[in-house]
């Protein structure tokens, strides 16, 4: 059985992070943007777990537990904001969020 | 490691007071306060919140505890202790200016979230370990997103909060990725150890990526260009006390946190911006952010007619000067940076306080809404004069001396021989531009006369005390800067 190297994990992590980042930049639907944000967090977690495994310390794994909790809190607040906005404006598209002038 | 919980509890008394206060206010509101009239309920809840912060402030001032706590997770040095007192004072001011009862349907939750935000901010300033730093940062950030979107009656509030949230969430993801790379490179989460492990390694591509990631998050937290886009929207749309907290305490704690991360943690990969050619590191990038913020903030502020957006762009310009302070902090210590950030925060919260009170009596969107303020309320006009002149950097107010120490520290690095010195000169020249838009505000408030009857503004006693204290502190720190700077010696 072949064990993947640290580099392989990091490449996956960087790819996920890049996907998430470009999703945030390019997509127009707030919910999808929000999903991409979570993807960026998950990418960081992959890197943390991989480093933890290859460094031989548990710090990275513990970090991931806390980050998962934070991500859940962010979901709660983020979705609440999207719902609050939808109730007022009946849209979740970013290009229509233009009450505040530039 | 044998964790000493008694010591931890003793060192964290102010944080404990804040969290207990937040839980109590929620419980008491459920049991007692909600049966009162809305106005009485609002007053009770606000007083309770202010009391919790006062207790925390007394603990913070009385326990002279310093040193590492709980392994090396937290470290209370002078900077952490003073930042804690500063942030608590700014939170107290936030309660002082929160007087608009009509807009908040859930005052107890509002107070509790402010207290949680303050807890996150003061832990952030003392955190020495990446995990706790990230947790504290997110506790503060998530609370601030909620505060920005708290006013559900206005669509602007939700929009501002969502923009703040999306950009803030992205910055948090960048910071986390940077942290994971730092952990991978060094095998440690504790800042001084990371610094020691990185010393022999030299700049590797992974370290450079980690630095870029951390700097993106830094730029967002301080609202430096080109990561400033959330600031004008958040300042304009958020309820005024929330905007005041975001503009003042969040900025102060963020700067202290990133100072800790960049100098004690990543100091060896700083590079050099004081002389040409650049050596690779984060300092040249921060210099670039600083220059961009100074230029963009000051020029864009000229075109603003909305007073909050004007304050937001002026905040971006001030962020440029603070970044210059971060660059200079490696040689001169954090004292000039802290002085500048703290006095800026007091002036900003004061200016937002005046806006909140004018808004309480009517409308305060555009500069023209301030017209005739000197006749409507001489107190507010006088306080606004102090705050705005301090922001503009007019002696003898604290804003002037803050600019002076930062620019002196930046010029001390290498005179005019490199970009740091040039930035200081550019910042001095741009202060003249800034004076123009600050005087536009004062012209409306102090000179312009309005026709028709004068609608006087009544200022509640708590708000009067807050504004007078803030203005008094600015004069005091301006006349006797050593009161603040001497604490660092």
């Amino acid at each position: 059985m072949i064990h993947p190297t640290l580099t392989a994990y990091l490449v996956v992590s960087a790819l996920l992070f890049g996907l998430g980042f470009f999703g945030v930049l390019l997509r127009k639907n707030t919910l999808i943007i929000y999903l991409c944000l979570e993807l960026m967090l998950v990418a960081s977690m992959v890197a943390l777990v991989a480093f933890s495994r290859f460094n031989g310390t548990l710090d990275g794994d513990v970090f991931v537990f806390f980050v998962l909790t934070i991500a859940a809190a962010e979901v709660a607040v983020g979705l609440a904001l999207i719902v609050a906005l939808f109730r007022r404006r009946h849209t979740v598209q970013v290009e229509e969020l233009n009450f505040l002038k530039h | 490691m044998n964790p000493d919980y008694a010591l931890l509890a003793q060192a964290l008394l102010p944080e404990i007071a804040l969290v207990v206060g937040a839980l109590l206010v929620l419980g008491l509101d459920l049991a007692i306060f909600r049966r009162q009239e809305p106005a009485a309920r609002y007053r009770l809840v606000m007083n309770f919140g202010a009391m919790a912060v006062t207790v925390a402030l007394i603990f913070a001032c009385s326990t002279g505890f310093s040193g590492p706590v709980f392994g090396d997770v937290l470290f209370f040095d002078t900077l952490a202790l003073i930042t804690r007192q500063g942030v608590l004072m700014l939170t107290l001011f936030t309660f002082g200016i929160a007087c608009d009862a009509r807009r908040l349907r859930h005052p107890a939750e509002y107070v509790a979230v402010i207290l949680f935000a303050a807890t996150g901010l003061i832990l952030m300033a003392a955190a020495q370990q990446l995990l706790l730093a990230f947790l504290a940062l997110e506790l503060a950030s998530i609370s601030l997103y909620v505060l920005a979107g708290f006013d559900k009656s206005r669509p602007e509030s939700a929009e501002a909060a969502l923009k703040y949230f999306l950009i803030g969430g992205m910055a948090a993801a960048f910071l986390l990725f940077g942290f994971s790379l730092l952990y991978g490179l060094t095998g440690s989460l504790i800042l001084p150890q990371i610094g020691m492990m990185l010393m022999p390694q030299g700049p590797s591509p992974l370290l450079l990526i980690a630095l870029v990631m951390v700097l993106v998050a830094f730029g967002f937290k301080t609202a430096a260009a080109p990561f400033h886009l959330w600031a004008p929207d958040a300042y304009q749309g958020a309820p005024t006390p929330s905007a005041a907290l975001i503009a003042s305490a969040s900025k102060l704690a963020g700067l202290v946190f990133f100072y800790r991360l960049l100098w004690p943690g990543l100091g060896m990969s700083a590079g050099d911006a004081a002389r040409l050619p650049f050596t690779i590191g984060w300092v040249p990038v921060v210099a670039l952010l600083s220059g961009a913020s100074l230029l963009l903030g000051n020029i864009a502020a000229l075109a603003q007619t909305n007073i909050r957006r004007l304050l937001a762009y002026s905040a971006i310009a001030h962020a440029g000067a603070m970044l210059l302070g971060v660059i200079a902090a490696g040689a001169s210590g954090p004292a000039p940076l802290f002085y500048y950030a703290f006095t800026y925060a007091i002036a900003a919260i004061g200016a937002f306080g005046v806006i909140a009170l004018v808004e309480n009596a009517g409308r305060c969107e555009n500069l023209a809404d301030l017209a005739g303020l000197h006749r409507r309320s001489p107190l507010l006009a006088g306080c606004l004069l102090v705050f705005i002149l301090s922001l503009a950097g007019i002696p003898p107010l604290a804003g002037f001396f803050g600019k002076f120490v930062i620019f002196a520290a930046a010029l001390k690095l290498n005179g005019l021989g490199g970009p740091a010195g040039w930035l200081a000169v550019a910042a001095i020249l741009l202060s003249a531009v800034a004076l123009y838009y600050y005087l536009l505000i004062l012209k409306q408030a102090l000179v312009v006369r309005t026709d028709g009857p004068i609608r006087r503004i009544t200022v509640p006693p708590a708000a009067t005390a807050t504004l007078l204290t803030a203005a008094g502190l600015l004069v005091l720190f301006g006349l006797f800067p050593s009161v603040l700077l001497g604490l660092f010696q």
Side-chain angles (χ1 to χ4, degrees):
Chain A
M1 185 177 161
I2 307 164
H3 288 286
T5 58
L6 178 59
T7 320
Y9 285 109
L10 287 187
V11 167
V12 170
S13 158
L15 278 178
L16 281 176
F17 194 84
L19 264 178
F21 180 58
F22 283 107
V24 171
L25 289 188
L26 300 176
R27 300 303 291 262
K28 298 288 178 216
N29 186 315
T30 330
L31 282 167
I32 305 285
I33 292 179
Y34 187 59
L35 280 177
C36 294
L37 267 183
E38 290 298 306
L39 196 60
M40 288 168 80
L41 281 180
V42 169
S44 316
M45 288 189 230
V46 170
L48 271 173
V49 172
F51 280 131
S52 186
R53 168 84 174 75
F54 284 87
N55 276 340
T57 52
L58 273 178
D59 293 355
D61 292 334
V62 176
F63 207 132
V64 167
F65 273 105
F66 281 95
V67 174
L68 280 173
T69 323
I70 291 177
E74 263 194 6
V75 170
V77 171
L79 288 183
L81 287 175
I82 293 174
V83 169
L85 194 75
F86 185 78
R87 281 199 182 146
R88 291 259 137 216
R89 308 279 291 279
H90 302 289
T91 176
V92 288
Q93 301 293 322
V94 267
E95 64 264 44
E96 289 168 45
L97 299 183
N98 49 12
F99 264 35
L100 302 163
K101 65 168 182 183
H102 299 292
Chain B
M1 183 180 82
N2 259 332
D4 183 350
Y5 289 101
L7 187 68
L8 182 69
Q10 188 209 340
L12 293 187
L13 268 181
E15 286 83 353
I16 294 172
L18 288 179
V19 173
V20 169
L23 297 178
L24 268 182
V25 79
L26 289 175
L28 284 177
D29 183 65
L30 199 64
I32 306 166
F33 295 161
R34 68 186 312 161
R35 302 205 192 102
Q36 313 275 330
E37 293 282 299
R41 176 183 177 196
Y42 184 83
R43 226 176 7 255
L44 275 172
V45 164
M46 283 291 158
N47 287 343
F48 195 90
M51 221 162 62
V53 179
T54 313
V55 171
L57 193 57
I58 291 171
F59 281 141
C61 292
S62 61
T63 55
F65 180 84
S66 60
V69 184
F70 211 68
D72 276 321
V73 172
L74 286 161
F75 191 82
F76 288 100
D77 52 1
T78 319
L79 182 63
L81 291 174
I82 300 178
T83 309
R84 177 152 84 175
Q85 291 164 12
V87 167
L88 287 173
M89 199 185 286
L90 293 168
T91 315
L92 197 59
F93 287 168
T94 308
F95 282 119
I97 61 168
C99 50
D100 194 357
R102 288 167 304 168
R103 287 212 169 131
L104 293 177
R105 280 176 47 214
H106 304 282
E109 285 81 350
Y110 193 66
V111 168
V113 177
I114 289 183
L115 293 178
F116 286 136
T119 316
L121 291 173
I122 56 185
L123 281 175
M124 204 161 109
Q128 183 85 321
Q129 188 224 31
L130 297 184
L131 171 55
L132 187 82
F134 191 73
L135 280 176
L137 184 92
E138 284 296 287
L139 174 59
S141 303
I142 292 178
S143 307
L144 289 175
Y145 306 146
V146 176
L147 288 178
F150 213 86
D151 185 357
K152 286 201 287 187
S153 61
R154 286 161 59 236
E156 294 97 324
S157 183
E159 181 179 327
L162 191 65
K163 284 179 177 170
Y164 187 29
F165 170 76
L166 289 177
I167 301 181
M170 196 161 80
F174 270 94
L175 190 65
L176 185 65
F177 203 79
F179 279 2
S180 75
L181 291 181
L182 286 179
Y183 168 64
L185 284 169
T186 61
S188 170
L189 289 176
I190 295 172
L191 278 179
Q193 285 182 16
I194 290 178
M196 263 170 15
M197 301 287 286
L198 283 178
M199 195 89 77
Q201 291 186 6
S204 60
L206 270 187
L207 180 60
L208 290 182
I209 298 175
L211 283 179
V212 169
M213 300 271 173
V214 168
L215 287 176
V216 169
F218 181 34
F220 161 78
K221 197 71 199 165
T222 49
F227 310 106
H228 63 282
L229 286 170
W230 61 272
D233 289 341
Y235 284 27
Q236 186 188 352
T240 316
S242 315
L245 198 66
I246 293 170
S248 61
S250 153
K251 206 160 206 175
L252 176 64
L255 269 169
V256 169
F257 165 59
F258 279 99
Y259 160 75
R260 245 178 234 292
L261 182 64
L262 290 176
W263 279 113
L266 302 170
M268 85 304 311
S269 51
D272 192 359
R275 42 188 70 79
L276 289 173
F278 290 132
T279 37
I280 291 180
W282 56 263
V283 167
V285 184
V286 174
L288 211 62
L289 296 182
S290 162
S293 314
L294 282 167
L295 209 61
L296 186 133
N298 279 315
I299 303 230
L302 291 174
Q304 302 304 320
T305 53
N306 182 301
I307 180 162
R308 290 152 178 254
R309 290 188 89 80
L310 197 159
L311 283 178
Y313 281 106
S314 104
I316 294 165
H318 280 280
M322 290 178 208
L323 292 187
L324 201 54
V326 171
I327 295 173
S332 61
L337 177 66
F338 179 83
Y339 184 91
Y340 191 102
F342 187 48
T343 52
Y344 164 76
I346 298 176
I349 211 167
F352 273 106
V354 173
I355 294 176
L357 288 161
V358 175
E359 207 168 45
N360 206 13
R363 230 169 77 93
C364 191
E365 290 280 314
N366 294 322
L367 285 176
D369 294 333
L370 283 175
L373 184 66
H374 63 295
R375 293 171 74 196
R376 297 178 66 192
S377 169
L379 169 78
L380 286 186
C383 287
L384 189 67
L385 178 73
V386 174
F387 300 138
I388 297 292
L389 287 185
S390 180
L391 286 176
I394 303 291
L397 295 166
F400 166 75
F401 200 78
K403 281 197 164 68
F404 176 78
V405 281
I406 288 241
F407 298 156
L411 284 170
K412 232 184 273 172
L413 288 177
N414 188 25
L416 285 177
W422 304 340
L423 272 177
V425 173
I428 294 169
L429 293 178
L430 284 167
S431 299
V433 178
L435 192 59
Y436 172 73
Y437 58 78
Y438 287 126
L439 288 181
L440 278 185
I441 302 181
L442 291 182
K443 180 182 146 206
Q444 290 291 340
L446 298 174
V447 180
V448 172
R449 287 181 171 276
T450 44
D451 302 327
I454 301 163
R455 288 178 298 118
R456 293 196 67 85
I457 301 172
T458 47
V459 185
T464 313
T466 305
L467 291 180
L468 287 179
T469 315
L473 281 178
L474 286 179
V475 176
L476 174 79
F477 291 150
L479 290 176
F480 306 103
S482 54
V483 173
L484 210 52
L485 290 174
L487 296 172
F488 286 90
Q489 269 141 29

